[in-house]
Amino acid sequence: MANPFISLNAEQREQFLTEGYIIVKGLYTEEDVRTIEDRFEEISRRTIPGLFEPDLSENAEDPLKRYPRVMHPHRFDEIAKQYMLHQPVMDVLADLYGEEALAAQSMFYYKPPGSRGQALHQDNFYLQVEPGNCIAAWTAIDAATEENGGLLVVPRTSEHEISCPELADSSESFTTHYVKPPKEHKAMPVIMDKGDVLFFNGNLIHGSYRNKTKDQFRRAFICHYANASATHISDHYRPLFRQDGTQVDLEINPDGGPCGIEFDMAYPH
């Protein structure tokens, strides 16, 4: 088990409020991280229709064809669900929200050598949590650097309105949406050690680099959460879960968001 969580200090809370993100260390033990590694290594050799469909042939030219992201592993794997509801992470989220957090989504990114990154975007464009916001818990299963495709954030954009995306550069991003940062705001790298957890606000503009290495994966276990007082969320993320595993069904958010109801979302986040 991870060490019992001690509440965030005033400086950490202030950083999350002003910058839109914080890194918290010590929420996972080395054994926890190894358990996650081993389970997703096993999953990487399988196919789960609609959630993980790798090209298992030896001829896949795009490394992301062989190692696409795993969507909602908590829906078919108990270990993934266990760590989506990991008590120390849920404690941090409750501290940030000022109320109970509800787990909405899990994902696993393998980010193999040579793979494209993900263009700058905002999570709550997809989750549509209302009232309130989503928060991501992004756990580094490998150390994340500029070279192996670590995360980029645009500080102080957590209060920036959700924007209708532009078209991303498909040669550098495996997703199609791009949100341009506001003037005088620049993306910066977030360097993380193995086992670190990055928490960030659903409006924060963020993305990732291409993995420029020849021999390093940049694996990450990523979950999204909603505040317990939220009433609506996008249909892709239902049902949600309390920390004890109890299901919660929020209403489907009918709001089309900044792009209008006719906008093609292209994919769930």
Side-chain angles (χ1 to χ4, degrees), residues 57-164:
S57 71
E58 297 181 0
N59 302 317
E61 295 182 6
D62 182 349
L64 290 176
K65 294 290 187 182
R66 172 60 186 89
Y67 289 102
R69 56 185 174 173
V70 187
M71 302 298 288
H72 293 301
H74 69 277
R75 293 183 179 175
F76 64 85
D77 185 83
E78 282 301 314
I79 287 180
K81 184 176 181 181
Q82 171 190 333
Y83 284 109
M84 179 181 74
L85 301 173
H86 191 52
Q87 184 69 61
V89 171
M90 298 296 282
D91 287 345
V92 172
L93 291 161
D95 207 341
L96 293 173
Y97 275 130
E99 61 177 300
E100 180 186 9
L102 304 176
Q105 183 191 31
S106 62
M107 296 189 291
F108 191 88
Y109 282 46
Y110 293 95
K111 196 71 176 285
S115 59
R116 290 169 291 167
Q118 187 168 8
L120 295 174
H121 62 282
Q122 296 166 291
D123 289 347
N124 211 40
F125 174 76
Y126 305 96
L127 276 84
Q128 296 181 294
V129 174
E130 289 184 347
N133 208 331
C134 64
I135 294 178
W138 197 103
T139 302
I141 303 303
D142 296 302
T145 68
E146 293 186 55
E147 289 72 31
N148 73 359
L151 211 65
L152 294 163
V153 299
V154 183
R156 296 179 176 263
T157 54
S158 54
E159 296 302 319
H160 185 62
E161 291 185 1
I162 296 293
S163 300
C164 184

Side-chain angles (χ1 to χ4, degrees), residues 35-51:
T35 298
I36 296 170
E37 284 182 302
D38 290 347
R39 180 46 56 99
F40 282 96
E41 175 61 27
E42 178 187 336
I43 289 172
S44 74
R45 298 189 289 270
R46 301 162 52 191
T47 295
I48 297 92
L51 299 176

Side-chain angles (χ1 to χ4, degrees), residues 169-189:
D169 179 356
S170 61
S171 68
E172 291 297 324
S173 174
F174 76 90
T175 52
T176 60
H177 296 165
Y178 167 69
V179 172
K180 185 177 181 179
K183 290 182 179 179
E184 300 180 1
H185 286 71
K186 293 185 178 180
M188 58 163 279

Side-chain angles (χ1 to χ4, degrees), residues 112-114 147-148 211-217:
E147 289 72 31
N148 73 359
N211 186 340
K212 295 177 286 188
T213 71
K214 296 184 183 301
D215 58 358
Q216 295 179 33
F217 281 71

Side-chain angles (χ1 to χ4, degrees), residues 2-3 5 24-29 32 86 88-89 92 195 197 199:
N3 295 328
F5 171 64
V24 182
K25 295 178 176 288
L27 300 182
Y28 288 92
T29 65
D32 289 327
H86 191 52
V89 171
V92 172
V197 185
F199 295 87

